[in-house]
Amino acid sequence: LVHEIRTVCPERDFGTRTIARHIMRAGIQISRASVRRILEEDPPQRPARGDVVKSTRRTAPDHFFNPPRPNHVWHMDMTELRVLWMRFEVAAVIDGFSRRIMKLRVFRGTPTTDELIKLVDEAARESTVPRYVVTDRGGQFQIAFRQALQERGIRHARGWCQTWQFNAKVERLFWSLKRWWRVSLVVPNTVAIHVSQ
């Protein structure tokens, strides 16, 4: 993309800073130094017409995206919710088959691994133990979290970096929650956010 922009706009006033700014407007994070480094490299060779380009994108097993039954795959994640001067962390567990909210908890600060494990335990007591729990690569979902799930007979699946589609069902829940919260007139507190589920 950088080389294509330079080809289309070879003018001297369209520098590396301008190229980086236009790319960032499209939602791609890139610095001026990266643009300068890329321009010093040889432009990549385009495949000839008719050549088959193999995709290098990794895909998850189908049963993560389309679970065969309820409580087979649970999706879990956290999001930050800022209201005026207050900051909340919302953690949610949803069923991948029915998209039912199994558990939702609001924290005034960043929850710990133990608090998130307790959230899974509460959801399992109210329903049943899932086979898989899908999370991202957050700091709370590391070795201790995986070991705690293994002790409960649950397999832990973590998505790849910058692959929000792997956990898109819970991300969609957070999008709806934030959209509702912006237009609501409820006084911001943990009880009000919890009731909103």
Side-chain angles (χ1 to χ4, degrees):
L1 177 60
V2 170
H3 283 285
E4 287 181 359
I5 293 175
R6 171 55 75 208
T7 302
V8 174
C9 305
E11 297 86 1
R12 294 184 59 185
D13 56 344
F14 206 89
T16 55
R17 182 182 288 109
T18 305
I19 293 176
R21 185 169 61 248
H22 282 282
I23 294 177
M24 284 191 290
R25 286 179 182 171
I28 302 173
Q29 293 296 324
I30 189 170
S31 66
R32 180 188 181 190
S34 297
V35 172
R36 187 184 299 114
R37 177 183 52 79
I38 293 171
L39 288 175
E40 291 174 357
E41 300 173 353
D42 293 330
Q45 297 296 323
R46 288 179 174 270
R49 181 171 294 182
D51 291 351
V52 177
V53 180
K54 294 183 179 180
S55 174
T56 58
R57 181 177 179 181
R58 295 170 292 186
T59 57
D62 186 62
H63 61 83
F64 285 154
F65 296 123
N66 302 300
R69 60 185 178 278
N71 299 314
H72 182 73
V73 176
W74 283 0
H75 295 268
M76 184 176 192
D77 201 1
M78 302 178 301
T79 189
E80 182 181 270
L81 190 63
R82 290 184 179 271
V83 183
L84 300 178
W85 61 91
M86 290 177 284
R87 173 183 167 273
F88 302 96
E89 285 282 343
V90 181
V93 181
I94 69 170
D95 178 43
F97 180 83
S98 62
R99 301 199 182 196
R100 173 190 171 202
I101 300 176
M102 308 305 296
K103 209 69 184 174
L104 188 141
R105 181 68 48 79
V106 183
F107 302 90
R108 284 304 301 265
T110 302
T112 63
T113 299
D114 292 337
E115 289 173 327
L116 295 178
I117 293 170
K118 183 179 178 182
L119 194 66
V120 174
D121 288 339
E122 292 175 1
R125 279 197 299 270
E126 295 177 5
S127 180
T128 185
V129 177
R131 180 161 186 176
Y132 297 95
V133 170
V134 177
T135 69
D136 58 14
R137 293 184 173 269
Q140 292 84 353
F141 304 121
Q142 300 298 324
I143 298 176
F145 187 83
R146 178 185 292 269
Q147 290 175 346
L149 292 185
Q150 288 177 348
E151 293 172 0
R152 292 156 175 78
I154 304 172
R155 297 182 183 181
H156 182 209
R158 294 195 303 165
W160 299 289
C161 295
Q162 299 179 351
T163 312
W164 61 268
Q165 297 89 345
F166 194 81
N167 219 9
K169 294 178 181 178
V170 70
E171 297 287 355
R172 181 61 173 81
L173 167 68
F174 290 148
W175 180 85
S176 299
L177 176 65
K178 291 179 179 179
R179 187 178 182 188
W180 172 85
W181 190 256
R182 288 193 195 103
V183 299
S184 69
L185 299 177
V186 182
V187 177
N189 56 68
T190 55
V191 176
I193 299 174
H194 186 74
V195 170
S196 69
Q197 70 171 309

